[in-house]
Amino acid sequence: MSIPRVVLHKHKADAVKRFHPWIFSGAIKQTEGELREGAVVDVYSHAGEFLATGHYGTGTIAVKIFAFAPVTDLEQLFLEKLHTAYQLRQQLGLVNSPTTNCYRLINAEGDGFPGLIIDWYNGVAVMQAHSIGMYEQRAVLVRGLQQIYGAALKAVYDKSASLLFRHAASQDASRRDQYLLGESGPLEVMEFGHRFLVDWETGQKTGFFLDQREHRALLAHYAKDQKDRAGWGGEVRQKRPCVDSYICARLST
């Protein structure tokens, strides 16, 4: 089965050659083959030069690129990218850290997975796809997570449907936020020794703003030995995970 092609206008290939992961709809000269939302497409210059492979979308961002070289085995490519992301977290000291057991494993374009977030919460992986193309790779992603974490992986929760299909008329029961592997309720995790109770099912996004880890540490550093002028003492409620996690960091000093 041939892969559909997207051909760019003249001079629109430069950004792709600089490894920009997005192709906007206005850059497309023509398309070849049957296209649908989430389809894998190859991208070519106006002169017929291969440029990249990505997922097609019907919005302003027409293609989200995940490879800048020809892809022969899509599943193997994604598995290799997962392992690369995990190895980077190992190098950063996040894996098996004595003070932090939650971190962002996949940070979308930064890890070569445009439109995908995967967060690790001490045995539970929570994923959220922001594109149909990545949503359709869920089974591959679960297999990759099992390869990486082995017995340490207790559950995988997919929180994509409430984002991708919230305006859809379809009543397809499979299109819902759900566990793809195992089950788990809210879980206590640790970040720089601070403990947080995370509920990814009812919380915002994937349950916790893990990308703000260094900012919380910075706040704790500057707030050390400062008086509580804002009246933040007392109970912290997890209704606003971003704000409340900052309050926790402040109270811990």
Side-chain angles (χ1 to χ4, degrees):
M1 181 178 178
S2 61
I3 297 177
R5 291 190 176 195
V6 168
V7 181
L8 304 185
H9 286 292
K10 190 175 182 179
H11 305 308
K12 293 298 183 179
D14 293 346
V16 183
K17 291 181 177 181
R18 293 194 296 269
F19 304 110
H20 194 291
W22 295 350
I23 293 175
F24 294 95
S25 57
I28 296 177
K29 177 182 179 181
Q30 66 186 57
T31 61
E32 302 172 5
E34 184 177 349
L35 291 177
R36 62 170 180 80
E37 183 81 16
V40 174
V41 297
D42 285 337
V43 181
Y44 286 81
S45 70
H46 76 289
E49 175 188 7
F50 172 86
L51 298 171
T53 300
H55 286 134
Y56 181 77
T58 56
T60 302
I61 303 174
V63 181
K64 292 185 176 181
I65 296 171
F66 53 74
F68 292 93
V71 177
T72 57
D73 188 328
L74 187 61
E75 178 170 345
Q76 185 60 33
L77 173 69
F78 285 144
L79 292 177
E80 290 175 358
K81 285 177 177 288
L82 275 172
H83 280 273
T84 299
Y86 179 74
Q87 290 166 1
L88 176 58
R89 275 65 182 176
Q90 284 181 312
Q91 295 169 12
L92 293 172
L94 293 171
V95 177
N96 298 323
S97 166
T99 60
T100 298
N101 57 20
C102 56
Y103 53 86
R104 180 149 294 174
L105 174 66
I106 297 299
N107 190 33
E109 284 82 354
D111 290 298
F113 286 91
L116 179 69
I117 297 294
I118 301 181
D119 286 343
W120 173 259
Y121 295 110
N122 192 26
V124 178
V126 181
M127 68 174 67
Q128 188 171 61
H130 292 244
S131 71
I132 298 296
M134 283 299 169
Y135 180 77
E136 293 177 345
Q137 296 299 318
R138 292 172 300 159
V140 172
L141 296 170
V142 171
R143 286 196 291 273
L145 292 169
Q146 289 176 305
Q147 288 182 14
I148 290 170
Y149 291 107
L153 179 66
K154 306 303 181 185
V156 178
Y157 187 71
D158 174 34
K159 201 173 182 180
S160 308
S162 56
L163 174 72
L164 291 173
F165 308 118
R166 62 184 183 274
H167 300 307
S170 172
Q171 298 299 315
D172 187 344
S174 67
R175 289 186 168 184
R176 57 183 175 84
D177 295 343
Q178 59 186 304
Y179 285 95
L180 304 178
L181 175 74
E183 287 188 4
S184 174
L187 194 67
E188 182 178 278
V189 298
M190 188 167 56
E191 178 187 86
F192 290 134
H194 306 146
R195 293 174 305 191
F196 299 94
L197 183 64
V198 179
D199 184 348
W200 43 83
E201 293 189 39
T202 61
Q204 295 182 38
K205 298 184 180 294
T206 56
F208 194 63
F209 290 80
L210 288 174
D211 56 344
Q212 298 297 308
R213 180 183 63 249
E214 303 302 327
H215 292 162
R216 285 187 286 269
L218 185 65
L219 172 63
H221 170 75
Y222 283 120
K224 187 176 182 180
D225 300 325
Q226 298 296 312
K227 293 183 178 179
D228 184 11
R229 297 187 179 92
W232 286 356
E235 182 182 2
V236 178
R237 300 180 182 276
Q238 281 296 312
K239 296 298 184 182
R240 305 158 299 170
C242 183
V243 175
D244 293 341
S245 62
Y246 273 87
I247 295 174
C248 285
R250 165 63 178 84
L251 290 174
S252 69
T253 60

